[in-house]
Amino acid sequence: QTAAAGLDAFAGNTTRDMTAAAGEQAITGVGFQPAGILFLCCFDQDGNVAGWGIHSASAGASFSTYPTGQFANGSGVGLFVDGTNYQYMSSVSMDADGFTITWDKGGSPTGTGHIMYLCLA
């Protein structure tokens, strides 16, 4: 966590088991309630799947790539094996000490998604 000229920032990372059921994933230990979060995600299946996103308390936007296409989303980043097997952030809530991601799942994806984040307040 860094404090400079009234800025709070916290960078971290987490993973997502692609076989996990849809549901919530709480990220804590940030030290403040984020006003916005920048996401960078990658998927380890073939090395050419990535996603970028930004989320505030009221809105979000993202773009993800996968071997056979792209996906733009109004909520958060997607982790795609292909167009039918994926996990994506359907919503992100800003919490007192971090944030909670609500994941949706399509098909039967496998592997591990890697999510890096930068929280700002």
Side-chain angles (χ1 to χ4, degrees):
Q1 181 175 346
T2 302
L7 172 70
D8 282 328
F10 182 90
N13 62 75
T14 190
T15 59
R16 178 70 178 168
D17 177 357
M18 297 292 284
T19 64
E24 294 185 343
Q25 179 180 7
I27 307 297
T28 60
V30 171
F32 57 89
Q33 182 172 358
I37 306 170
L38 302 172
F39 291 102
L40 174 62
C41 300
C42 60
F43 181 60
D44 65 3
Q45 182 164 318
D46 55 24
N48 62 355
V49 178
W52 303 264
I54 186 168
H55 206 282
S56 71
S58 61
S62 70
F63 183 78
S64 302
T65 65
Y66 55 97
T68 58
Q70 300 84 33
F71 178 76
N73 181 339
S75 296
V77 178
L79 299 165
F80 287 81
V81 175
D82 55 41
T84 58
N85 296 290
Y86 56 83
Q87 294 245 3
Y88 77 92
M89 299 174 186
S90 61
S91 67
V92 178
S93 68
M94 307 301 180
D95 306 328
D97 187 32
F99 57 97
T100 300
I101 301 167
T102 300
W103 291 97
D104 278 352
K105 180 179 179 181
S108 300
T110 60
T112 302
H114 300 272
I115 301 104
M116 293 165 278
Y117 54 86
L118 175 62
C119 298
L120 302 168

